[in-house]
């Protein structure tokens, strides 16, 4: 049985985020604003159907998908690209692969205890194990 990601998750740390955005060629103004944000995540999971809401004072982003099925993701307002995205299970981890005008992007997300971890681990097709970000705790 896959992990249960349901819940409201509050960010407690965000390591190397600006370096990650710089590697993605995000402009300096957007990087500075994004680095100040502490977005929360609300996740609704019903079997393999997921809705992940990233919520902040600046902008909200909603990603709805079925695990294992490719879908078109519109990242307007995030980094202004469209891509074909597939999120799949890798054991108890969610593994996202995004293909489009900017190749080699994705993330891995998993739960340890009461913490959810998110690692943006691919930039331009290269593994980036040193760029890790997003540690969340369930809201008490």
């Amino acid at each position: 049985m896959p992990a249960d990601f349901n819940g409201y998750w509050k960010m407690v740390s965000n390591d190397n985020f600006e370096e990650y955005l710089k590697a993605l060629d995000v402009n300096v103004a957007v990087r500075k604003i994004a680095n100040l944000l502490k977005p929360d995540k609300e996740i609704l999971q019903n079997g393999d159907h997921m809705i992940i809401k990233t919520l902040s004072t600046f902008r909200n982003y909603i990603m709805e998908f079925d695990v294992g099925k490719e879908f078109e993701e519109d990242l307007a307002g995030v980094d202004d690209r469209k891509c074909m995205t597939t999120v799949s299970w890798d054991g108890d981890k969610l593994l996202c692969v995004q293909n489009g005008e900017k190749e080699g992007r994705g993330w891995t997300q998993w739960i340890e205890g009461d913490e959810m971890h998110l690692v943006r681990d691919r930039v331009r097709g290269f593994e980036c194990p040193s760029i890790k970000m997003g540690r969340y705790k369930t809201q008490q």
Side-chain angles (χ1 to χ4, degrees), residues 65-138:
F65 59 91
D66 291 308
V67 176
K69 295 183 181 176
E70 186 176 58
F71 64 97
E72 183 177 49
E73 186 176 11
D74 186 349
L75 292 153
V78 177
D79 62 2
D80 295 324
R81 63 190 168 95
K82 287 187 179 181
C83 58
M84 295 307 294
T85 299
T86 305
V87 180
S88 57
W89 290 111
D90 182 9
D92 279 346
K93 296 180 179 182
L94 285 175
L95 175 65
C96 173
V97 176
Q98 299 169 322
N99 293 302
E101 59 197 54
K102 297 179 181 179
E103 293 295 327
R105 301 227 183 142
W107 47 260
T108 304
Q109 184 171 286
W110 70 96
I111 296 172
E112 288 179 11
D114 67 347
E115 293 183 348
M116 180 175 68
H117 298 263
L118 173 66
V119 177
R120 307 275 183 179
D121 52 4
R122 286 173 293 284
V123 178
R124 292 192 197 99
F126 298 99
E127 293 299 314
C128 298
S130 63
I131 299 177
K132 296 181 180 179
M133 54 160 279
R135 190 167 62 90
Y136 296 83
K137 276 199 173 271
T138 54

Side-chain angles (χ1 to χ4, degrees), residues 9-27:
W9 302 84
K10 297 193 71 66
M11 179 174 280
V12 294
S13 71
N14 195 5
D15 302 327
N16 298 317
F17 187 51
E18 187 163 1
E19 290 82 1
Y20 175 75
L21 294 176
K22 190 182 292 185
L24 297 178
D25 296 324
V26 173
N27 78 56

Side-chain angles (χ1 to χ4, degrees), residues 1-9 41-53 62-68 87-95 107 109-111 116 138:
M1 183 63 137
D4 181 3
F5 284 88
N6 278 300
Y8 193 90
W9 302 84
K41 289 197 178 278
E42 181 179 11
I43 300 179
L44 306 168
Q45 178 183 354
N46 184 2
D48 280 340
H49 184 78
M50 301 192 85
I51 302 171
I52 300 176
K53 300 177 183 179
I62 299 172
M63 180 180 188
E64 184 170 358
F65 59 91
D66 291 308
V67 176
V87 180
S88 57
W89 290 111
D90 182 9
D92 279 346
K93 296 180 179 182
L94 285 175
L95 175 65
W107 47 260
Q109 184 171 286
W110 70 96
I111 296 172
M116 180 175 68
T138 54

